[in-house]
Every structure is written in structure tokens, then in C-alpha cells.
């Protein structure tokens, strides 16, 4: 059964344009630590293209990949459906999205959506989202979940009691 929505069915994917835009985005990469620039171009449900590059950080852990930056740019523009994503790296070995980006891709793309990687040698490789992240944990698991209560950080009653028993710290006297 075909479940694609009408406007997606009628929008074709311009792979050449996506590759060119991904390459242009990679030229804006902020990658002074890895020296591994990445650019991404996404075609969203509206047909518009959004781009992202990797933005590294001196803390290393604060680094954000090109894929997630491109998805965030599309989200803030109001997009919620996505058709295709292209990664560009100036590397002989074509770069697939990292694990964390695969999880974020799985949030917004369908398992059938095409994800491609290309390079400066005009090589291109394509996967489906389902191939990159089989058995993905998706929003469906939360939407259809049993809502189980868990331990809280504190509850309002015991927090008040604790303050009354010990008095305010440091500031008095
Ligand atoms: N990187 C991406 O932007 N996307 C990927 O798919 C792989 C990794 C970035 C993160 C970091 O800035 C650099 O590449 C090296 O890991």
C-alpha cells in the first residue's frame, strides 16, 4: 500500500541540486579540531532545500553534525516531512550519517526515505533510512506507550519540610 501523502508523490527529488547544495554547505563547516568538514542538504516535504554543516566545539562533546543542523534549520522553518538527505564530504571514502544522526533522521523521515552520501569525485552511495537504522525507536513507541510513574527528583511537600527543619542555608546569621 502506498502511504505517501499527495504533495510528496508530486515532488521529484533533484539529486544534482542536493549534491551541489551539500557541497556548498560543507564549505561553511566549522571543523578546526577534526579537519573533517561535512555538508548536508535536505529536501523537505514542501520541496524546499535546507542545508547544514558540522559545527565543532572546544569541549568536543558540544559538536553538532551537519545532518542535525540541517534538520533543525528545516524544523524552525516549519517543515515536518522530509523526502531525501544528501551528505557531502571531501573524502575518498563516502561518509554515512553517524549513529546519533541516524536516530534523529528516523524521527522525521520514513524508513523508505533515501539518504545519500557523495564526494568531490562525484561518487554517490544511497541507503534507505531503514537500512541505516533497522528496528528504530520512533515516536510511535511513546505515542502508544503505557504511562508509568517513575521516581521524581523531589516532590513539593518534602522539599518544603526539609527547608523548615534545617532553615535557610548560609544566608542567615
Ligand atoms: N560529522 C558530521 O557532521 N556528520 C557525520 O555524519 C559524521 C561526522 C562531523 C562531526 C565532527 O565535526 C566531524 O564530522 C568528525 O567526526
Amino acid at each position: 500500500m502506498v502511504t505517501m501523502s499527495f504533495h510528496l508523490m508530486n515532488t521529484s527529488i533533484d539529486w544534482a541540486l542536493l549534491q551541489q547544495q551539500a557541497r556548498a554547505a560543507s564549505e561553511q563547516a566549522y571543523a578546526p579540531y577534526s579537519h573533517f568538514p561535512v555538508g548536508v542538504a535536505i529536501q523537505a516535504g514542501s520541496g524546499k532545500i535546507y542545508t547544514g554543516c558540522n559545527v565543532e566545539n572546544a569541549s568536543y562533546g558540544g559538536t553538532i553534525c551537519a545532518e542535525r543542523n540541517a534538520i533543525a534549520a528545516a524544523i524552525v522553518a516549519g517543515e515536518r516531512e522530509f523526502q531525501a538527505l544528501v551528505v557531502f564530504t571531501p573524502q575518498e571514502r563516502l561518509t554515512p550519517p553517524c549513529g546519533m544522526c541516524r536516530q534523529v533522521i528516523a524521527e522525521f523521515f520514513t524508513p523508505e526515505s533515501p539518504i545519500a552520501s557523495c564526494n568531490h569525485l562525484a561518487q554517490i552511495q544511497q541507503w534507505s533510512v531503514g537500512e541505516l537504522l533497522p528496528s528504530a525507536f520512533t515516536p510511535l513507541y511513546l505515542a502508544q506507550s503505557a504511562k508509568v510513574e517513575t521516581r521524581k527528583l523531589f516532590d513539593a511537600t518534602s522539599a518544603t519540610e526539609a527547608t523548615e527543619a534545617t532553615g535557610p542555608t548560609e544566608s542567615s546569621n
Side-chain angles (χ1 to χ4, degrees), residues 30-31 34 36-40 53-56 63-67 87 89 95-98 101:
Y30 176 70
S34 71
F36 190 90
V38 185
V40 163
C53 62
N54 50 336
V55 179
E56 299 190 342
T63 293
I64 308 179
C65 294
E67 290 86 336
V87 181
T89 46
T95 304
C98 80
C101 290

Side-chain angles (χ1 to χ4, degrees), residues 10 14 19 64 68 71 110-111 114 120-121 166 171 173:
N10 286 283
D14 189 341
Q19 286 176 67
I64 308 179
R68 279 174 287 143
I71 289 171
T110 68
H120 57 300
L121 305 170
T166 57
S171 59
N173 303 332

Side-chain angles (χ1 to χ4, degrees), residues 25-99:
S26 78
E27 286 160 16
Q28 301 302 330
Y30 176 70
Y33 309 108
S34 71
H35 304 284
F36 190 90
V38 185
V40 163
I42 291 172
Q43 189 165 316
S46 67
K48 287 186 191 160
I49 293 176
Y50 298 87
T51 59
C53 62
N54 50 336
V55 179
E56 299 190 342
N57 189 270
S59 74
Y60 288 24
T63 293
I64 308 179
C65 294
E67 290 86 336
R68 279 174 287 143
N69 278 330
I71 289 171
I75 291 293
V76 76
E79 305 282 357
R80 288 296 183 272
E81 291 179 54
F82 297 90
Q83 300 189 64
L85 181 151
V86 174
V87 181
F88 176 91
T89 46
Q91 307 291 337
E92 291 195 11
R93 182 179 295 148
L94 294 168
T95 304
C98 80

Side-chain angles (χ1 to χ4, degrees), residues 1-169:
M1 190 177 79
V2 179
T3 53
M4 249 183 208
S5 62
F6 182 76
H7 69 277
L8 289 188
M9 273 165 51
N10 286 283
T11 316
S12 58
I13 296 164
D14 189 341
W15 291 103
L17 184 59
L18 284 170
Q19 286 176 67
Q20 183 236 305
Q21 298 270 296
R23 183 177 196 148
S26 78
E27 286 160 16
Q28 301 302 330
Y30 176 70
Y33 309 108
S34 71
H35 304 284
F36 190 90
V38 185
V40 163
I42 291 172
Q43 189 165 316
S46 67
K48 287 186 191 160
I49 293 176
Y50 298 87
T51 59
C53 62
N54 50 336
V55 179
E56 299 190 342
N57 189 270
S59 74
Y60 288 24
T63 293
I64 308 179
C65 294
E67 290 86 336
R68 279 174 287 143
N69 278 330
I71 289 171
I75 291 293
V76 76
E79 305 282 357
R80 288 296 183 272
E81 291 179 54
F82 297 90
Q83 300 189 64
L85 181 151
V86 174
V87 181
F88 176 91
T89 46
Q91 307 291 337
E92 291 195 11
R93 182 179 295 148
L94 294 168
T95 304
C98 80
M100 198 180 290
C101 290
R102 292 179 197 204
Q103 179 65 35
V104 175
I105 288 168
E107 179 90 7
F108 297 110
F109 291 71
T110 68
E112 294 75 34
S113 307
I115 306 295
S117 182
C118 61
N119 65 9
H120 57 300
L121 305 170
Q123 296 170 319
I124 186 159
Q125 187 179 356
Q126 194 177 303
W127 307 267
S128 69
V129 171
E131 281 176 307
L132 290 175
L133 192 63
S135 308
F137 179 77
T138 62
L140 260 187
Y141 286 86
L142 295 176
Q144 300 174 345
S145 65
K147 303 289 181 268
V148 180
E149 275 304 320
T150 63
R151 291 180 63 194
K152 296 186 171 61
L153 187 55
F154 61 84
D155 71 60
T157 323
S158 59
T160 309
E161 281 165 7
T163 310
E164 280 166 3
T166 57
T169 47

